[in-house]
């Protein structure tokens, strides 16, 4: 059986570790990437079923990553969840 792959993108290693563990316990195959640029490269390589990304990251934030993903025909249909810890 092939497990759905979720790509987690965040610049905080502790958040990546926590989410990875939780999602693996729920039966998903999880890949992680530290930051937006690494996330885009990982998405191109693994073609995940879902991408969960942090909104606020240095270099390339989650919104920029979403724009880049949606502009790539190979990645444009992958659902993206944009997470934020902001309380604005």
């Amino acid at each position: 059986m092939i497990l759905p792959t979720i790509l987690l993108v965040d610049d905080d290693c502790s958040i990546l570790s926590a989410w990875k563990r939780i999602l693996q316990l729920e039966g998903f195959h999880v890949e992680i990437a530290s930051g937006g640029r690494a996330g885009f490269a990982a998405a191109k390589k693994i073609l995940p079923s879902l991408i969960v990304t942090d909104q606020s990251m240095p270099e390339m934030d989650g919104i920029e990553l979403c724009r880049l993903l949606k502009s790539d025909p190979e990645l444009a249909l992958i659902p993206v969840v944009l997470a934020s810890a902001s309380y604005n």
Side-chain angles (χ1 to χ4, degrees):
M1 177 170 88
I2 298 174
L3 298 174
T5 299
I6 298 175
L7 174 60
L8 301 174
V9 184
D10 202 309
D11 61 317
D12 186 326
C13 293
S14 61
I15 291 174
L16 287 173
S17 294
W19 275 111
K20 182 175 183 175
R21 185 176 179 128
I22 291 166
L23 292 168
Q24 285 176 329
L25 288 170
E26 291 298 322
F28 294 99
H29 175 79
V30 181
E31 295 286 336
I32 60 172
S34 183
R37 293 187 199 286
F40 183 74
K44 292 285 282 184
K45 182 178 177 183
I46 64 175
L47 299 175
S49 302
L50 173 69
I51 298 170
V52 179
T53 182
D54 183 20
Q55 180 179 338
S56 299
M57 296 181 288
E59 292 185 32
M60 179 187 293
D61 67 18
I63 294 171
E64 276 185 84
L65 176 58
C66 286
R67 285 186 185 127
L68 193 57
L69 291 165
K70 298 308 174 186
S71 70
D72 186 309
E74 189 176 36
L75 305 174
L77 296 179
I78 298 173
V80 178
V81 174
L82 187 63
S84 174
S86 177
Y87 299 102
N88 293 338

